[in-house]
C-alpha cells in the first residue's frame, strides 16, 4: 500500500510539471518603466505555474529609435532559456506595441525559428498610426537644431517622438507591412485594446487623452500606387483594401491613470480579486490563456485620419514644396478642420523619410464613405483618388512617383 501511495504521489507530481511554459514579456511605452503595469506581472505569475511573466525595460528618453529598442528586446529575450515547445506572449503599452511589432518584423526578416513560438500579442493603447501628443512633444522639447539629439529636461527622446508622429518613417513601414507580419506567424493571436476617455466625442476627442482611437486600431484602409509625375491628370481605378486581421476592443480607460483607470496599470487590489473592476484585466487574462474574448464597450465614433505618403524611388528632380493635395467631397456629414487640410508633415530622424500629407476629420456616415483626394505638382493635378474613409479608422495611400 505504501508503495502504491508513493507511486501515485510521484506520478501526480510529474504530471504537474510544465510540459511547456508561457514566457510573458511586458513592454512599457515612452517615458515608462516597470511600474507602468502595476501588479500585472504578479497577477500573471500567480495564475498558472507554467506562466513566467517579466518586464522588459529599455532606454526611453535617449536618442534611440523604436527599431533599436526592438533589437534590444530580442537580446533580452534571448538571455532566457526558452525551450522549443514553450510559448512567448507579449503585453505592450503605448510605444511598447511598436517595439513588439518591429521585433516580429525582425524575426521574420531574419527567419528566426522562434517566431513560431509567439502566441498572445496584446497591445494596450498603442499608437500604430501616430499621436498628436508626439508632435506637440517635439515642438515643446526639441525646437532645437537637429544635431541636438537629447534634451536633459525631456523624459522623451527626439527620435521616439518623431517616430510616433503622424507621417513618420516607422508609421510608413507599418502601413506597408502590418497585415503581412500578422499573417506570416502561424500561431500568433493578436488583440488590440484601446482606452477611451470619459465622454468622448468628435469635438473633445475620441482617444485615451493621448492616442486617438483610429491610431490604436491596427486594422486600416490601404492602397499602394505608382504615379507618373509629368503625366496629365488621371483617375486611379485601383481599389483600396481594408484589413481586419486584429481583434479590437475599446474599454473606459485613460492612457495613464488620470480621470479614470489607466489602460495598462493594474492596481494592487486586483492581486486578491480578479473581479476588481479594472477595464483591461479580463481581456488580458483571457487572451493569454486562449479563452473567448468579449466585445468590449460600445462607442459612437466619428473621427478618422487620412495619410498620403509620397516617395521618390527613381530620384526624380523635383522639390517637395511643389507637391500639394486637394481634398473634395466634404459635406455636412463629413468634415475636415481647415487647419488640418493641405499641410505636409515632415519629420527628421535617423530613418530616412519622405513626404507625408496627413489630416484628421470626422464623419457622421455609418460605415464607409469616401473623399476625393487629388495630388498636384506645381498646382497641376496629376492623379485623383476616391479614398474610402470610416469613423474610427485610418486610411493610407502610398504613392511612388515615377
Amino acid at each position: 500500500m505504501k508503495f502504491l501511495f508513493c507511486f501515485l504521489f510521484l506520478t501526480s507530481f510529474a504530471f504537474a510539471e510544465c510540459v511547456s511554459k508561457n514566457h510573458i514579456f511586458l513592454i512599457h511605452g515612452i517615458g515608462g518603466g516597470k511600474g507602468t503595469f502595476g501588479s500585472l506581472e504578479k497577477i500573471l505569475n500567480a495564475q498558472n505555474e507554467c506562466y513566467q511573466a517579466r518586464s522588459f525595460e529599455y532606454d526611453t528618453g535617449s536618442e534611440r529609435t523604436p527599431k533599436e529598442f526592438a533589437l534590444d528586446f530580442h537580446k533580452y529575450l534571448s538571455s532566457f532559456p526558452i525551450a522549443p515547445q514553450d510559448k512567448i506572449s507579449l503585453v505592450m503599452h503605448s510605444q511598447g506595441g511598436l517595439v513588439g511589432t518591429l521585433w516580429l518584423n525582425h524575426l521574420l526578416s531574419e527567419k528566426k525559428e522562434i517566431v513560431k513560438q509567439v502566441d498572445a500579442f496584446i497591445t494596450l493603447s498603442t499608437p500604430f498610426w501616430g499621436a498628436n501628443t508626439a508632435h506637440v512633444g517635439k515642438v515643446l522639447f526639441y525646437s532645437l537644431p537637429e544635431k541636438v539629439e537629447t534634451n536633459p529636461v525631456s523624459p522623451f527622446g527626439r527620435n521616439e517622438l518623431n517616430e510616433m508622429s503622424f507621417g513618420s518613417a516607422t508609421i510608413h513601414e507599418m502601413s506597408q507591412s502590418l497585415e503581412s507580419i500578422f499573417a506570416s506567424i502561424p500561431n500568433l493571436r493578436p488583440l488590440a485594446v484601446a482606452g477611451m476617455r470619459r465622454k468622448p466625442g468628435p469635438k473633445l476627442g475620441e482617444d485615451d487623452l493621448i492616442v486617438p482611437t483610429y491610431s490604436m486600431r491596427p486594422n486600416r484602409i490601404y492602397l499602394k500606387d505608382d504615379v507618373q509625375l509629368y503625366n496629365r491628370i488621371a483617375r486611379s481605378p485601383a481599389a483600396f483594401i481594408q484589413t481586419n486581421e486584429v481583434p479590437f476592443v475599446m474599454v473606459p480607460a485613460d492612457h495613464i491613470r488620470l480621470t479614470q483607470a489607466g489602460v495598462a496599470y493594474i492596481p494592487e487590489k486586483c492581486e486578491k480579486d480578479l473581479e476588481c473592476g479594472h477595464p483591461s484585466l479580463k481581456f488580458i487574462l483571457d487572451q493569454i490563456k486562449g479563452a473567448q474574448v468579449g466585445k468590449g464597450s460600445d462607442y459612437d465614433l466619428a473621427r478618422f485620419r487620412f495619410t498620403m505618403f509620397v516617395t521618390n524611388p527613381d530620384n526624380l528632380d523635383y522639390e517637395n514644396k511643389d507637391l500639394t493635395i486637394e481634398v473634395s467631397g466634404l459635406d455636412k456629414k463629413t468634415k475636415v478642420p481647415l487647419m488640418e487640410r493641405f499641410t505636409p508633415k515632415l519629420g527628421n530622424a535617423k530613418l530616412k523619410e519622405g513626404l507625408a500629407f496627413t489630416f484628421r476629420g470626422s464623419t457622421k456616415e455609418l460605415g464607409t464613405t469616401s473623399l476625393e483626394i487629388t495630388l498636384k505638382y506645381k498646382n497641376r493635378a496629376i492623379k485623383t483618388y476616391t479614398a474610402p474613409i470610416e469613423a474610427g479608422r485610418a486610411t493610407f495611400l502610398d504613392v511612388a512617383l515615377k
Side-chain angles (χ1 to χ4, degrees), residues 98-379:
L98 301 182
V99 173
T101 305
L102 291 166
W103 172 69
L104 292 181
N105 200 32
H106 167 71
L107 296 184
L108 291 169
S109 63
E110 296 296 320
K111 298 181 179 179
K112 303 281 189 183
E113 283 296 310
I114 201 171
V115 74
K116 298 175 183 178
Q117 296 174 241
V118 183
D119 184 43
F121 188 84
I122 305 166
T123 58
L124 306 171
S125 288
T126 287
F128 287 99
W129 314 128
N132 277 319
T133 47
H135 180 71
V136 172
K138 282 199 301 182
V139 174
L140 186 62
F141 293 112
Y142 290 102
S143 295
L144 301 166
E146 284 295 322
K147 63 181 180 180
V148 182
E149 290 191 321
T150 60
N151 181 341
V153 301
S154 174
F156 317 120
R158 179 196 289 274
N159 289 300
E160 289 180 285
L161 292 170
N162 187 81
E163 293 313 303
M164 286 194 293
S165 296
F166 299 119
S168 76
T170 292
I171 291 173
H172 188 191
E173 182 178 336
M174 290 273 194
S175 71
Q176 292 175 310
S177 61
L178 195 61
E179 79 274 3
S180 64
I181 292 174
F182 290 139
S184 301
I185 303 174
N187 299 316
L188 187 71
R189 296 186 299 107
L191 173 67
V193 179
M196 183 66 82
R197 64 156 73 203
R198 292 181 186 272
K199 299 180 180 179
K203 291 184 178 180
L204 291 177
E206 296 167 358
D207 50 44
D208 63 359
L209 299 178
I210 301 293
V211 181
T213 307
Y214 53 70
S215 275
M216 293 183 273
R217 187 195 299 267
N219 306 316
R220 82 278 188 266
I221 301 168
Y222 179 77
L223 173 66
K224 187 173 183 178
D225 192 32
D226 294 340
V227 174
Q228 301 299 317
L229 180 62
Y230 302 111
N231 275 10
R232 298 191 174 207
I233 185 170
R235 177 172 288 276
S236 174
F240 285 72
I241 62 170
Q242 182 167 307
T243 64
N244 290 291
E245 68 277 359
V246 180
F248 177 75
V249 297
M250 295 180 287
V251 298
D254 293 340
H255 198 75
I256 56 175
R257 291 177 295 161
L258 291 171
T259 67
Q260 55 186 341
V263 69
Y265 183 84
I266 311 300
E268 187 177 356
K269 67 178 182 179
C270 297
E271 293 179 33
K272 297 180 180 179
D273 179 14
L274 297 181
E275 301 294 328
C276 58
H278 189 275
S280 305
L281 181 57
K282 181 172 172 52
F283 292 105
I284 295 170
L285 295 179
D286 285 348
Q287 185 72 0
I288 291 286
K289 63 187 179 185
Q292 181 78 29
V293 173
K295 60 174 283 189
S297 301
D298 288 323
Y299 295 94
D300 292 326
L301 301 177
R303 286 193 176 188
F304 65 87
R305 177 161 291 274
F306 174 87
T307 301
M308 177 191 289
F309 293 106
V310 182
T311 58
N312 184 14
D314 293 345
N315 294 313
L316 301 176
D317 186 18
Y318 68 86
E319 295 185 48
N320 280 342
K321 66 179 180 64
D322 291 329
L323 292 169
T324 56
I325 64 169
E326 182 176 292
V327 183
S328 58
L330 301 171
D331 54 30
K332 291 182 178 180
K333 285 190 174 182
T334 303
K335 300 178 181 179
V336 175
L338 187 61
M339 292 184 65
E340 287 274 339
R341 291 189 228 171
F342 322 125
T343 305
K345 301 284 187 179
L346 294 168
N348 295 298
K350 288 186 176 181
L351 303 175
K352 185 178 180 181
E353 295 177 325
L355 174 66
F357 298 96
T358 181
F359 59 84
R360 69 164 173 84
S362 63
T363 181
K364 295 179 181 179
E365 295 283 359
L366 298 177
T368 303
T369 184
S370 62
L371 294 175
E372 297 287 295
I373 309 291
T374 300
L375 178 63
K376 293 184 173 183
Y377 174 60
K378 292 185 176 180
N379 292 321

Side-chain angles (χ1 to χ4, degrees), residues 19-35:
V19 176
S20 69
K21 296 177 181 177
N22 193 344
H23 300 267
I24 306 169
F25 294 91
L26 312 184
I27 308 179
H28 64 78
I30 186 170
K34 187 174 182 178

Side-chain angles (χ1 to χ4, degrees), residues 64-111:
R64 310 185 76 216
T65 68
K67 268 192 173 180
E68 292 169 312
F69 296 142
L71 296 178
D72 291 343
F73 173 66
H74 185 69
K75 291 178 183 177
Y76 175 76
L77 179 142
S78 300
S79 68
F80 296 98
I82 300 177
Q85 70 273 18
D86 290 350
K87 296 178 180 180
I88 299 169
S89 294
L90 273 62
V91 182
M92 303 148 285
H93 177 240
S94 194
Q95 179 182 251
L98 301 182
V99 173
T101 305
L102 291 166
W103 172 69
L104 292 181
N105 200 32
H106 167 71
L107 296 184
L108 291 169
S109 63
E110 296 296 320
K111 298 181 179 179

